[in-house]
Amino acid sequence: MTEQPPPTAPRPAEYRIEDLAHLSGATVRTIRAYQDRGLLPRPERRGRANVYGDAHLARLRQIADLLDRGYTLASIKELLQAWDAGLDLGGVLGLVAEIDGPWTDEKASRISRADLDAAFGGTSDESAVAEAVELGVLERLPDRDDEFLVPSPQELAVAAELHSAGVPLLAISGHLREVRGQVEHIAARFLDFTTEHVFQPFLDHPPTEAEAAEAAALVRRLRPLAQQTIDAELARAMRTLATRYLRQHLNEALPADRRTASAMGPEPQGAVGAKAPKAERAAGVHQPWPAPGQIADPRTATGPATTAPEATTPGATAPGATASEAVVLPAETVEAVRALVGAEHTAAFITAAARREVQARTLDALASGSPRRSPRSDPAEGPQRSQG
């Protein structure tokens, strides 16, 4: 009886990149892109040829599956790194699903080009469409020139309503860019806050299955809080600002001899400066804006304002300006001026000092060849020189 040789282990499968692309359903270009991004291990080099194996094929199928489930390539890379580190992906996948999932109940929709044009006055505007696509308000569909994906129908509806009220399309897109930057700043602050106080224990080491599941549950609980906070604060700010704007415009509409410190009653507590310089509003610096003829003491948020005399000195009011417009000055500055020139000349002195500062800055700008800069463009700088 002859002895049979021991069975040999099957030789691992080997693929050229074209074969791997055919088996996985990916293109050669996609495979190379995955390698460059660290999603796919480099192939084994055999002479002048690159050789791929079953591990590469399995990884490509994992990536395709995660893409189908809505994960981004960045998230997939993190998941695969956790997998390679020996972690169970069940909890990690749940955590990533919570973070990558929708942060709103709003559902995306589609809109035809004809309906889009009709919603914005019936006129086709290619530049406005391109701007909307760049901002993500619209998304082009593959092989479809007559239809768009609308990630947020509410946002598009707001734009259409503003346009119907007379706002130019480019003004709407510019406003959206400004608002988006401010909202992204708020979102970043909320993430910093929750990371510091909620998620820090999960971030100093690779999470276990139980920790990943716990973190996913926390994300699920905290998900609506950001929007609820912003909704409440936006409603409060709009209420106080709208009241302030209306009060001011009603007061300005009255004859000069009938204007009062307040055309609509007492100032709402917590109101922010509707007429504050734009640079201050963008930086989040808000101060109470007193009624005309008053100089508020910034050291008392709700205390009575310091009343300054009207500027009756000839030339105290700049040509073309309103008869009086209030500004916020430190109380000690007002007291120092009053002690220097007397109460009856305080307003005129401050007005003249401000005009001289404007003239000096204009001369400095002309002498240096730089464009003229309004002193209101740097709210942190102006008062120091004026008070000096």
PDB file of all heavy atoms in Angstrom, residues 113-134:
ATOM      1  N   ARG A 113     -36.712  71.973 -13.015  1.00  0.00           N
ATOM      2  CA  ARG A 113     -36.212  73.299 -13.367  1.00  0.00           C
ATOM      3  C   ARG A 113     -37.365  74.257 -13.650  1.00  0.00           C
ATOM      4  O   ARG A 113     -37.309  75.446 -13.277  1.00  0.00           O
ATOM      5  CB  ARG A 113     -35.290  73.192 -14.595  1.00  0.00           C
ATOM      6  CG  ARG A 113     -34.678  74.526 -15.042  1.00  0.00           C
ATOM      7  CD  ARG A 113     -33.903  75.155 -13.882  1.00  0.00           C
ATOM      8  NE  ARG A 113     -33.460  76.490 -14.202  1.00  0.00           N
ATOM      9  CZ  ARG A 113     -32.248  76.761 -14.710  1.00  0.00           C
ATOM     10  NH1 ARG A 113     -31.391  75.785 -14.961  1.00  0.00           N
ATOM     11  NH2 ARG A 113     -31.895  77.995 -14.939  1.00  0.00           N
ATOM     12  N   ALA A 114     -38.427  73.752 -14.259  1.00  0.00           N
ATOM     13  CA  ALA A 114     -39.576  74.604 -14.546  1.00  0.00           C
ATOM     14  C   ALA A 114     -40.228  75.105 -13.255  1.00  0.00           C
ATOM     15  O   ALA A 114     -40.570  76.287 -13.131  1.00  0.00           O
ATOM     16  CB  ALA A 114     -40.588  73.844 -15.393  1.00  0.00           C
ATOM     17  N   ASP A 115     -40.398  74.207 -12.269  1.00  0.00           N
ATOM     18  CA  ASP A 115     -40.991  74.613 -10.994  1.00  0.00           C
ATOM     19  C   ASP A 115     -40.067  75.562 -10.235  1.00  0.00           C
ATOM     20  O   ASP A 115     -40.528  76.472  -9.536  1.00  0.00           O
ATOM     21  CB  ASP A 115     -41.295  73.387 -10.139  1.00  0.00           C
ATOM     22  CG  ASP A 115     -42.463  72.578 -10.673  1.00  0.00           C
ATOM     23  OD1 ASP A 115     -43.236  73.125 -11.484  1.00  0.00           O
ATOM     24  OD2 ASP A 115     -42.588  71.389 -10.301  1.00  0.00           O
ATOM     25  N   LEU A 116     -38.761  75.346 -10.361  1.00  0.00           N
ATOM     26  CA  LEU A 116     -37.792  76.225  -9.696  1.00  0.00           C
ATOM     27  C   LEU A 116     -37.892  77.641 -10.261  1.00  0.00           C
ATOM     28  O   LEU A 116     -37.942  78.625  -9.504  1.00  0.00           O
ATOM     29  CB  LEU A 116     -36.387  75.676  -9.881  1.00  0.00           C
ATOM     30  CG  LEU A 116     -35.251  76.484  -9.246  1.00  0.00           C
ATOM     31  CD1 LEU A 116     -35.368  76.486  -7.729  1.00  0.00           C
ATOM     32  CD2 LEU A 116     -33.892  75.930  -9.671  1.00  0.00           C
ATOM     33  N   ASP A 117     -37.912  77.738 -11.580  1.00  0.00           N
ATOM     34  CA  ASP A 117     -38.032  79.058 -12.201  1.00  0.00           C
ATOM     35  C   ASP A 117     -39.343  79.724 -11.813  1.00  0.00           C
ATOM     36  O   ASP A 117     -39.391  80.935 -11.533  1.00  0.00           O
ATOM     37  CB  ASP A 117     -37.934  78.934 -13.720  1.00  0.00           C
ATOM     38  CG  ASP A 117     -36.544  78.512 -14.173  1.00  0.00           C
ATOM     39  OD1 ASP A 117     -35.593  78.650 -13.376  1.00  0.00           O
ATOM     40  OD2 ASP A 117     -36.414  78.037 -15.318  1.00  0.00           O
ATOM     41  N   ALA A 118     -40.420  78.940 -11.758  1.00  0.00           N
ATOM     42  CA  ALA A 118     -41.721  79.500 -11.405  1.00  0.00           C
ATOM     43  C   ALA A 118     -41.731  80.017  -9.968  1.00  0.00           C
ATOM     44  O   ALA A 118     -42.352  81.039  -9.668  1.00  0.00           O
ATOM     45  CB  ALA A 118     -42.812  78.448 -11.592  1.00  0.00           C
ATOM     46  N   ALA A 119     -41.040  79.325  -9.068  1.00  0.00           N
ATOM     47  CA  ALA A 119     -41.006  79.736  -7.666  1.00  0.00           C
ATOM     48  C   ALA A 119     -40.250  81.043  -7.473  1.00  0.00           C
ATOM     49  O   ALA A 119     -40.459  81.741  -6.482  1.00  0.00           O
ATOM     50  CB  ALA A 119     -40.370  78.639  -6.815  1.00  0.00           C
ATOM     51  N   PHE A 120     -39.385  81.385  -8.423  1.00  0.00           N
ATOM     52  CA  PHE A 120     -38.592  82.606  -8.315  1.00  0.00           C
ATOM     53  C   PHE A 120     -38.932  83.589  -9.441  1.00  0.00           C
ATOM     54  O   PHE A 120     -38.050  84.151 -10.090  1.00  0.00           O
ATOM     55  CB  PHE A 120     -37.107  82.263  -8.323  1.00  0.00           C
ATOM     56  CG  PHE A 120     -36.648  81.626  -7.054  1.00  0.00           C
ATOM     57  CD1 PHE A 120     -36.718  80.247  -6.886  1.00  0.00           C
ATOM     58  CD2 PHE A 120     -36.168  82.388  -5.999  1.00  0.00           C
ATOM     59  CE1 PHE A 120     -36.302  79.657  -5.705  1.00  0.00           C
ATOM     60  CE2 PHE A 120     -35.761  81.806  -4.819  1.00  0.00           C
ATOM     61  CZ  PHE A 120     -35.829  80.430  -4.659  1.00  0.00           C
ATOM     62  N   GLY A 121     -40.201  83.760  -9.678  1.00  0.00           N
ATOM     63  CA  GLY A 121     -40.654  84.798 -10.579  1.00  0.00           C
ATOM     64  C   GLY A 121     -40.800  84.410 -12.019  1.00  0.00           C
ATOM     65  O   GLY A 121     -41.111  85.253 -12.861  1.00  0.00           O
ATOM     66  N   GLY A 122     -40.524  83.161 -12.370  1.00  0.00           N
ATOM     67  CA  GLY A 122     -40.710  82.711 -13.733  1.00  0.00           C
ATOM     68  C   GLY A 122     -39.571  83.019 -14.671  1.00  0.00           C
ATOM     69  O   GLY A 122     -39.657  82.742 -15.867  1.00  0.00           O
ATOM     70  N   THR A 123     -38.487  83.594 -14.154  1.00  0.00           N
ATOM     71  CA  THR A 123     -37.336  83.930 -14.993  1.00  0.00           C
ATOM     72  C   THR A 123     -36.176  83.009 -14.668  1.00  0.00           C
ATOM     73  O   THR A 123     -35.844  82.814 -13.491  1.00  0.00           O
ATOM     74  CB  THR A 123     -36.912  85.387 -14.776  1.00  0.00           C
ATOM     75  OG1 THR A 123     -38.020  86.243 -15.055  1.00  0.00           O
ATOM     76  CG2 THR A 123     -35.743  85.748 -15.685  1.00  0.00           C
ATOM     77  N   SER A 124     -35.564  82.449 -15.684  1.00  0.00           N
ATOM     78  CA  SER A 124     -34.428  81.562 -15.480  1.00  0.00           C
ATOM     79  C   SER A 124     -33.169  82.377 -15.238  1.00  0.00           C
ATOM     80  O   SER A 124     -32.857  83.295 -16.002  1.00  0.00           O
ATOM     81  CB  SER A 124     -34.247  80.658 -16.706  1.00  0.00           C
ATOM     82  OG  SER A 124     -33.158  79.780 -16.514  1.00  0.00           O
ATOM     83  N   ASP A 125     -32.454  82.076 -14.164  1.00  0.00           N
ATOM     84  CA  ASP A 125     -31.233  82.802 -13.800  1.00  0.00           C
ATOM     85  C   ASP A 125     -30.136  81.784 -13.533  1.00  0.00           C
ATOM     86  O   ASP A 125     -30.073  81.194 -12.452  1.00  0.00           O
ATOM     87  CB  ASP A 125     -31.490  83.667 -12.571  1.00  0.00           C
ATOM     88  CG  ASP A 125     -30.341  84.624 -12.269  1.00  0.00           C
ATOM     89  OD1 ASP A 125     -29.191  84.288 -12.617  1.00  0.00           O
ATOM     90  OD2 ASP A 125     -30.595  85.697 -11.693  1.00  0.00           O
ATOM     91  N   GLU A 126     -29.271  81.584 -14.532  1.00  0.00           N
ATOM     92  CA  GLU A 126     -28.229  80.563 -14.406  1.00  0.00           C
ATOM     93  C   GLU A 126     -27.235  80.887 -13.299  1.00  0.00           C
ATOM     94  O   GLU A 126     -26.769  79.997 -12.589  1.00  0.00           O
ATOM     95  CB  GLU A 126     -27.488  80.403 -15.738  1.00  0.00           C
ATOM     96  CG  GLU A 126     -28.325  79.795 -16.841  1.00  0.00           C
ATOM     97  CD  GLU A 126     -28.781  78.382 -16.504  1.00  0.00           C
ATOM     98  OE1 GLU A 126     -28.074  77.707 -15.731  1.00  0.00           O
ATOM     99  OE2 GLU A 126     -29.839  77.958 -16.993  1.00  0.00           O
ATOM    100  N   SER A 127     -26.892  82.165 -13.141  1.00  0.00           N
ATOM    101  CA  SER A 127     -25.920  82.525 -12.098  1.00  0.00           C
ATOM    102  C   SER A 127     -26.497  82.259 -10.708  1.00  0.00           C
ATOM    103  O   SER A 127     -25.785  81.797  -9.801  1.00  0.00           O
ATOM    104  CB  SER A 127     -25.525  83.994 -12.227  1.00  0.00           C
ATOM    105  OG  SER A 127     -26.653  84.842 -12.057  1.00  0.00           O
ATOM    106  N   ALA A 128     -27.788  82.520 -10.537  1.00  0.00           N
ATOM    107  CA  ALA A 128     -28.415  82.258  -9.239  1.00  0.00           C
ATOM    108  C   ALA A 128     -28.493  80.762  -8.967  1.00  0.00           C
ATOM    109  O   ALA A 128     -28.294  80.313  -7.827  1.00  0.00           O
ATOM    110  CB  ALA A 128     -29.811  82.877  -9.194  1.00  0.00           C
ATOM    111  N   VAL A 129     -28.770  79.960  -9.993  1.00  0.00           N
ATOM    112  CA  VAL A 129     -28.795  78.503  -9.828  1.00  0.00           C
ATOM    113  C   VAL A 129     -27.411  77.986  -9.461  1.00  0.00           C
ATOM    114  O   VAL A 129     -27.256  77.149  -8.553  1.00  0.00           O
ATOM    115  CB  VAL A 129     -29.318  77.828 -11.106  1.00  0.00           C
ATOM    116  CG1 VAL A 129     -29.128  76.315 -11.025  1.00  0.00           C
ATOM    117  CG2 VAL A 129     -30.785  78.151 -11.328  1.00  0.00           C
ATOM    118  N   ALA A 130     -26.386  78.490 -10.149  1.00  0.00           N
ATOM    119  CA  ALA A 130     -25.014  78.065  -9.836  1.00  0.00           C
ATOM    120  C   ALA A 130     -24.646  78.431  -8.402  1.00  0.00           C
ATOM    121  O   ALA A 130     -23.986  77.655  -7.694  1.00  0.00           O
ATOM    122  CB  ALA A 130     -24.040  78.704 -10.820  1.00  0.00           C
ATOM    123  N   GLU A 131     -25.076  79.614  -7.955  1.00  0.00           N
ATOM    124  CA  GLU A 131     -24.815  80.035  -6.580  1.00  0.00           C
ATOM    125  C   GLU A 131     -25.526  79.115  -5.592  1.00  0.00           C
ATOM    126  O   GLU A 131     -24.959  78.729  -4.554  1.00  0.00           O
ATOM    127  CB  GLU A 131     -25.291  81.473  -6.393  1.00  0.00           C
ATOM    128  CG  GLU A 131     -24.969  82.072  -5.037  1.00  0.00           C
ATOM    129  CD  GLU A 131     -23.571  82.635  -4.959  1.00  0.00           C
ATOM    130  OE1 GLU A 131     -22.812  82.496  -5.940  1.00  0.00           O
ATOM    131  OE2 GLU A 131     -23.217  83.189  -3.908  1.00  0.00           O
ATOM    132  N   ALA A 132     -26.767  78.742  -5.894  1.00  0.00           N
ATOM    133  CA  ALA A 132     -27.515  77.842  -5.014  1.00  0.00           C
ATOM    134  C   ALA A 132     -26.875  76.466  -4.952  1.00  0.00           C
ATOM    135  O   ALA A 132     -26.839  75.831  -3.885  1.00  0.00           O
ATOM    136  CB  ALA A 132     -28.966  77.731  -5.494  1.00  0.00           C
ATOM    137  N   VAL A 133     -26.351  75.991  -6.077  1.00  0.00           N
ATOM    138  CA  VAL A 133     -25.660  74.698  -6.090  1.00  0.00           C
ATOM    139  C   VAL A 133     -24.381  74.773  -5.261  1.00  0.00           C
ATOM    140  O   VAL A 133     -24.052  73.864  -4.482  1.00  0.00           O
ATOM    141  CB  VAL A 133     -25.357  74.269  -7.538  1.00  0.00           C
ATOM    142  CG1 VAL A 133     -24.434  73.055  -7.562  1.00  0.00           C
ATOM    143  CG2 VAL A 133     -26.660  73.960  -8.279  1.00  0.00           C
ATOM    144  N   GLU A 134     -23.645  75.866  -5.404  1.00  0.00           N
ATOM    145  CA  GLU A 134     -22.408  76.020  -4.632  1.00  0.00           C
ATOM    146  C   GLU A 134     -22.690  76.054  -3.137  1.00  0.00           C
ATOM    147  O   GLU A 134     -21.920  75.512  -2.337  1.00  0.00           O
ATOM    148  CB  GLU A 134     -21.700  77.306  -5.057  1.00  0.00           C
ATOM    149  CG  GLU A 134     -20.375  77.537  -4.343  1.00  0.00           C
ATOM    150  CD  GLU A 134     -19.698  78.831  -4.763  1.00  0.00           C
ATOM    151  OE1 GLU A 134     -20.155  79.450  -5.748  1.00  0.00           O
ATOM    152  OE2 GLU A 134     -18.719  79.222  -4.110  1.00  0.00           O
TER     153      GLU A 134
END
